[in-house]
Amino acid sequence: MTTEAPADARGRTRRGRGDSRRGDSVFFNLSRGSGILLLVIMAAIAGFLAYRSALALSKNEGNFLTTFEWAPDAAKPVFGIAVLTFGTLVSALIAMLIAVPISVGIALFISHYAPRRIAQPFAYLVDLLAAVPSIVYGLWGVLFLVPHIDGLTSWMDQYLGWTYIFDQSSKGVPPRNLFTVGILLAIMVLPIITAVTREVFRQVPRMHEEAALALGATRWEMIRTAVLPFGRPGIISASMLGLGRALGETIAVATVLSTNNKLSLHLLDPGGGTFAQNIALKFNEAQPFGRDALMASGLVLFVITLLVNGAARMIIARRKEYSGAAA
């Protein structure tokens, strides 16, 4: 004769409740261990980069922050990140100025304007762009974008050259410059920003949209008063995720950009450089000390990326405070 374990008020046996608690404990410990492991890995990367950077900076004959030249393997090592910082930030800024408005427009079209039979394939097509390898973008950029963007750069030089920034001083040369790189990066980050923004717009409470329409608002007025305010933090977060991709892009930039050690505000002139591109091009040919110098530049990019992602996390945390969540 067997006896059953007594059940609680909800019909669960004590043994089953104990198993559930044991499972919760195991899952909690695994989750906490994974989080700690991630922090350990990040700290190890930062420590390694900091150690190798200190070895290089201790023998640097120039100012690491303001020197234009990159010659760590010379008899007197001289290297700095002025050109790399300028090129990285400017190309990423151009990419964001182009990609963010287009991404928001595509996300609104998919979530609020296009019929379902059109929206789903269109969304799939945009998401598919994120799966294209960087080298493919780079080859497309150097074989198609560079030869065909010459008309645009000539037009900008003619009508916007008075701004100095778009004054093309080196005429008749292929436009392998920061402006072209910015356009290429905009195409690469567009699917990331679009996908996140689209999902944010889909979370707008239906009652808010219907209330705006019931008060006589047009579709655009409903989007302007209900959808965009709700999705603004999500748009910013998506933009920062795209910015992180633009800052760290390597192969595509190295394929398109014509590098030099000159810092020029003429964005249509060839030249410039970025952190990731400089590391990719010079790592194999660098001597041990030169690789330490590249590690120092990598540490700067690491810190910039952490700041960008940290800002994105802060915005997401703020978002929770006044989220109307899927009401």
Side-chain angles (χ1 to χ4, degrees):
M1 182 174 180
T2 60
T3 59
E4 295 182 356
D8 60 11
R10 296 182 180 178
R12 297 176 299 184
T13 64
R14 292 179 180 176
R15 180 175 299 177
R17 185 170 55 187
D19 293 340
S20 175
R21 289 177 177 175
R22 189 178 301 110
D24 289 343
S25 177
V26 171
F27 179 76
F28 171 76
N29 290 327
L30 287 175
S31 301
R32 182 171 60 180
S34 299
I36 294 174
L37 178 61
L38 177 61
L39 293 177
V40 170
I41 293 174
M42 295 291 291
I45 294 174
F48 172 76
L49 292 176
Y51 171 72
R52 297 291 294 270
S53 301
L55 295 177
L57 295 177
S58 63
K59 300 179 181 179
N60 186 13
E61 297 289 337
N63 188 303
F64 181 65
L65 298 178
T66 60
T67 301
F68 293 176
E69 186 179 358
W70 187 271
D73 291 323
K76 291 185 177 181
V78 177
F79 59 91
I81 59 171
V83 175
L84 303 180
T85 303
F86 178 80
T88 300
L89 297 180
V90 168
S91 60
L93 178 62
I94 294 173
M96 301 310 295
L97 290 176
I98 297 173
V100 172
I102 297 177
S103 298
V104 172
I106 295 174
L108 285 174
F109 173 75
I110 294 174
S111 61
H112 286 83
Y113 283 93
R116 182 177 297 273
R117 59 187 177 84
I118 297 178
Q120 289 183 345
F122 199 75
Y124 174 76
L125 180 63
V126 172
D127 293 341
L128 191 63
L129 290 174
V132 178
S134 297
I135 186 61
V136 176
Y137 280 111
L139 292 175
W140 176 82
V142 73
L143 297 176
F144 180 84
L145 183 60
V146 170
H148 291 83
I149 203 175
D150 189 54
L152 175 61
T153 56
S154 299
W155 181 89
M156 296 178 69
D157 175 49
Q158 180 179 357
Y159 293 100
L160 300 176
W162 56 271
T163 61
Y164 186 81
I165 295 177
F166 297 114
D167 180 23
Q168 190 174 15
S169 59
S170 301
K171 303 182 186 299
V173 296
R176 301 180 63 173
N177 48 47
L178 292 176
F179 181 74
T180 304
V181 169
I183 294 177
L184 182 62
L185 290 176
I187 298 173
M188 298 180 69
V189 304
L190 186 143
I192 299 175
I193 303 175
T194 301
V196 177
T197 305
R198 183 183 70 234
E199 294 306 316
V200 171
F201 287 161
R202 285 178 174 175
Q203 298 303 316
V204 178
R206 189 67 179 174
M207 293 177 59
H208 293 185
E209 298 180 3
E210 293 176 349
L213 295 173
L215 291 173
T218 63
R219 180 175 295 188
W220 162 243
E221 291 172 338
M222 178 269 293
I223 289 174
R224 183 169 56 85
T225 57
V227 177
L228 292 180
F230 183 92
R232 186 179 297 114
I235 296 173
I236 298 174
S237 300
S239 301
M240 293 212 174
L241 292 176
L243 178 60
R245 168 73 185 275
L247 290 172
E249 182 53 44
T250 304
I251 300 300
V253 176
T255 307
V256 172
L257 186 61
S258 176
T259 61
N260 60 35
N261 293 325
K262 296 180 180 180
L263 194 155
S264 174
L265 295 179
H266 297 290
L267 300 184
L268 301 183
D269 288 344
T274 67
F275 287 111
Q277 172 238 18
N278 185 61
I279 294 173
L281 292 181
K282 298 184 177 180
F283 190 84
N284 286 334
E285 62 185 30
Q287 301 298 321
F289 183 78
R291 294 186 178 183
D292 290 342
L294 292 174
M295 294 292 179
S297 67
L299 178 62
V300 176
L301 180 60
F302 182 77
V303 171
I304 293 175
T305 305
L306 284 182
L307 292 176
V308 169
N309 286 280
R313 294 306 306 170
M314 290 177 60
I315 294 173
I316 292 174
R318 270 189 61 195
R319 174 74 175 82
K320 296 177 182 178
E321 296 178 1
Y322 53 92
S323 170

Short mmCIF file of all heavy atoms in Angstrom, two decimals, residues 35-61:
data_model
loop_
_atom_site.label_atom_id
_atom_site.label_comp_id
_atom_site.label_asym_id
_atom_site.label_seq_id
_atom_site.Cartn_x
_atom_site.Cartn_y
_atom_site.Cartn_z
N GLY A 35 26.98 35.64 -15.53
CA GLY A 35 27.23 37.08 -15.43
C GLY A 35 28.61 37.39 -14.88
O GLY A 35 29.31 38.28 -15.38
N ILE A 36 29.02 36.63 -13.85
CA ILE A 36 30.35 36.84 -13.28
C ILE A 36 31.43 36.49 -14.30
O ILE A 36 32.44 37.19 -14.42
CB ILE A 36 30.52 36.01 -12.00
CG1 ILE A 36 29.56 36.51 -10.92
CG2 ILE A 36 31.96 36.04 -11.51
CD1 ILE A 36 29.55 35.66 -9.66
N LEU A 37 31.21 35.40 -15.06
CA LEU A 37 32.18 35.00 -16.08
C LEU A 37 32.34 36.09 -17.14
O LEU A 37 33.46 36.38 -17.59
CB LEU A 37 31.74 33.69 -16.74
CG LEU A 37 32.64 33.16 -17.87
CD1 LEU A 37 34.04 32.88 -17.35
CD2 LEU A 37 32.03 31.92 -18.51
N LEU A 38 31.22 36.71 -17.53
CA LEU A 38 31.29 37.79 -18.50
C LEU A 38 32.11 38.95 -17.96
O LEU A 38 32.95 39.52 -18.67
CB LEU A 38 29.88 38.25 -18.86
CG LEU A 38 29.78 39.45 -19.81
CD1 LEU A 38 30.41 39.11 -21.16
CD2 LEU A 38 28.33 39.86 -20.01
N LEU A 39 31.89 39.31 -16.70
CA LEU A 39 32.66 40.40 -16.10
C LEU A 39 34.14 40.06 -16.03
O LEU A 39 35.01 40.91 -16.25
CB LEU A 39 32.12 40.72 -14.71
CG LEU A 39 30.70 41.30 -14.64
CD1 LEU A 39 30.28 41.50 -13.19
CD2 LEU A 39 30.64 42.63 -15.40
N VAL A 40 34.44 38.79 -15.72
CA VAL A 40 35.85 38.37 -15.65
C VAL A 40 36.50 38.47 -17.02
O VAL A 40 37.64 38.93 -17.15
CB VAL A 40 35.94 36.93 -15.10
CG1 VAL A 40 37.36 36.38 -15.25
CG2 VAL A 40 35.52 36.89 -13.64
N ILE A 41 35.78 38.05 -18.06
CA ILE A 41 36.33 38.13 -19.42
C ILE A 41 36.58 39.58 -19.81
O ILE A 41 37.64 39.93 -20.37
CB ILE A 41 35.37 37.45 -20.42
CG1 ILE A 41 35.32 35.94 -20.15
CG2 ILE A 41 35.82 37.71 -21.86
CD1 ILE A 41 34.30 35.21 -21.00
N MET A 42 35.61 40.45 -19.53
CA MET A 42 35.79 41.86 -19.85
C MET A 42 36.96 42.46 -19.10
O MET A 42 37.76 43.22 -19.64
CB MET A 42 34.50 42.63 -19.53
CG MET A 42 33.31 42.23 -20.37
SD MET A 42 33.47 42.74 -22.08
CE MET A 42 33.35 44.51 -21.91
N ALA A 43 37.08 42.11 -17.82
CA ALA A 43 38.19 42.63 -17.03
C ALA A 43 39.52 42.10 -17.54
O ALA A 43 40.53 42.82 -17.56
CB ALA A 43 38.00 42.24 -15.56
N ALA A 44 39.55 40.84 -17.98
CA ALA A 44 40.78 40.26 -18.51
C ALA A 44 41.20 40.97 -19.80
O ALA A 44 42.38 41.24 -20.02
CB ALA A 44 40.59 38.76 -18.76
N ILE A 45 40.21 41.25 -20.67
CA ILE A 45 40.52 41.97 -21.90
C ILE A 45 41.06 43.36 -21.59
O ILE A 45 42.08 43.79 -22.14
CB ILE A 45 39.26 42.05 -22.79
CG1 ILE A 45 38.84 40.66 -23.27
CG2 ILE A 45 39.50 42.97 -23.99
CD1 ILE A 45 37.53 40.64 -24.02
N ALA A 46 40.39 44.06 -20.69
CA ALA A 46 40.83 45.41 -20.34
C ALA A 46 42.21 45.39 -19.70
O ALA A 46 43.07 46.23 -20.01
CB ALA A 46 39.82 46.06 -19.39
N GLY A 47 42.45 44.42 -18.82
CA GLY A 47 43.76 44.33 -18.18
C GLY A 47 44.87 44.01 -19.18
O GLY A 47 45.97 44.60 -19.11
N PHE A 48 44.60 43.10 -20.10
CA PHE A 48 45.60 42.76 -21.12
C PHE A 48 45.93 43.96 -21.99
O PHE A 48 47.10 44.26 -22.24
CB PHE A 48 45.07 41.61 -21.98
CG PHE A 48 45.92 41.30 -23.18
CD1 PHE A 48 47.11 40.60 -23.04
CD2 PHE A 48 45.53 41.70 -24.45
CE1 PHE A 48 47.90 40.32 -24.15
CE2 PHE A 48 46.31 41.43 -25.56
CZ PHE A 48 47.50 40.74 -25.40
N LEU A 49 44.89 44.66 -22.46
CA LEU A 49 45.11 45.85 -23.29
C LEU A 49 45.85 46.94 -22.51
O LEU A 49 46.73 47.62 -23.05
CB LEU A 49 43.78 46.38 -23.81
CG LEU A 49 43.05 45.51 -24.83
CD1 LEU A 49 41.69 46.11 -25.17
CD2 LEU A 49 43.87 45.33 -26.09
N ALA A 50 45.47 47.12 -21.24
CA ALA A 50 46.13 48.15 -20.44
C ALA A 50 47.61 47.83 -20.22
O ALA A 50 48.47 48.72 -20.29
CB ALA A 50 45.42 48.30 -19.10
N TYR A 51 47.93 46.56 -19.99
CA TYR A 51 49.32 46.16 -19.77
C TYR A 51 50.16 46.38 -21.02
O TYR A 51 51.25 46.99 -20.97
CB TYR A 51 49.37 44.70 -19.34
CG TYR A 51 50.76 44.12 -19.29
CD1 TYR A 51 51.66 44.49 -18.29
CD2 TYR A 51 51.19 43.22 -20.26
CE1 TYR A 51 52.94 43.97 -18.25
CE2 TYR A 51 52.47 42.70 -20.24
CZ TYR A 51 53.35 43.08 -19.22
OH TYR A 51 54.61 42.56 -19.20
N ARG A 52 49.65 45.91 -22.17
CA ARG A 52 50.40 46.08 -23.41
C ARG A 52 50.49 47.56 -23.80
O ARG A 52 51.49 48.01 -24.37
CB ARG A 52 49.74 45.28 -24.53
CG ARG A 52 49.71 43.77 -24.30
CD ARG A 52 51.11 43.18 -24.39
NE ARG A 52 51.65 43.27 -25.72
CZ ARG A 52 51.50 42.33 -26.67
NH1 ARG A 52 50.79 41.23 -26.39
NH2 ARG A 52 52.05 42.47 -27.85
N SER A 53 49.45 48.33 -23.48
CA SER A 53 49.47 49.76 -23.78
C SER A 53 50.52 50.48 -22.95
O SER A 53 51.22 51.37 -23.44
CB SER A 53 48.09 50.38 -23.52
OG SER A 53 47.10 49.77 -24.31
N ALA A 54 50.64 50.09 -21.68
CA ALA A 54 51.63 50.73 -20.81
C ALA A 54 53.05 50.49 -21.33
O ALA A 54 53.91 51.38 -21.27
CB ALA A 54 51.49 50.20 -19.38
N LEU A 55 53.31 49.28 -21.85
CA LEU A 55 54.63 48.99 -22.41
C LEU A 55 54.94 49.91 -23.59
O LEU A 55 56.08 50.37 -23.75
CB LEU A 55 54.70 47.53 -22.86
CG LEU A 55 54.57 46.46 -21.76
CD1 LEU A 55 54.59 45.07 -22.38
CD2 LEU A 55 55.68 46.61 -20.73
N ALA A 56 53.94 50.17 -24.42
CA ALA A 56 54.16 51.02 -25.60
C ALA A 56 54.27 52.48 -25.22
O ALA A 56 55.16 53.20 -25.69
CB ALA A 56 53.03 50.81 -26.61
N LEU A 57 53.38 52.95 -24.36
CA LEU A 57 53.36 54.38 -24.03
C LEU A 57 54.61 54.80 -23.25
O LEU A 57 55.01 55.97 -23.31
CB LEU A 57 52.11 54.70 -23.21
CG LEU A 57 50.77 54.52 -23.95
CD1 LEU A 57 49.61 54.80 -23.01
CD2 LEU A 57 50.70 55.42 -25.16
N SER A 58 55.22 53.87 -22.56
CA SER A 58 56.42 54.22 -21.79
C SER A 58 57.60 54.59 -22.68
O SER A 58 58.53 55.27 -22.23
CB SER A 58 56.80 53.06 -20.87
OG SER A 58 57.15 51.90 -21.63
N LYS A 59 57.59 54.16 -23.94
CA LYS A 59 58.70 54.44 -24.85
C LYS A 59 58.30 55.36 -26.01
O LYS A 59 59.09 55.57 -26.92
CB LYS A 59 59.26 53.13 -25.41
CG LYS A 59 59.79 52.19 -24.33
CD LYS A 59 60.30 50.89 -24.95
CE LYS A 59 60.81 49.94 -23.87
NZ LYS A 59 61.30 48.66 -24.46
N ASN A 60 57.10 55.87 -25.97
CA ASN A 60 56.62 56.73 -27.04
C ASN A 60 57.28 58.10 -26.97
O ASN A 60 57.26 58.77 -25.92
CB ASN A 60 55.10 56.88 -26.96
CG ASN A 60 54.51 57.64 -28.12
OD1 ASN A 60 55.18 57.87 -29.14
ND2 ASN A 60 53.25 58.03 -27.99
N GLU A 61 57.86 58.53 -28.08
CA GLU A 61 58.53 59.83 -28.13
C GLU A 61 57.57 60.98 -28.44
O GLU A 61 57.96 62.14 -28.37
CB GLU A 61 59.63 59.80 -29.19
CG GLU A 61 60.74 58.82 -28.92
CD GLU A 61 61.63 59.24 -27.76
OE1 GLU A 61 61.65 60.46 -27.47
OE2 GLU A 61 62.28 58.37 -27.15
#
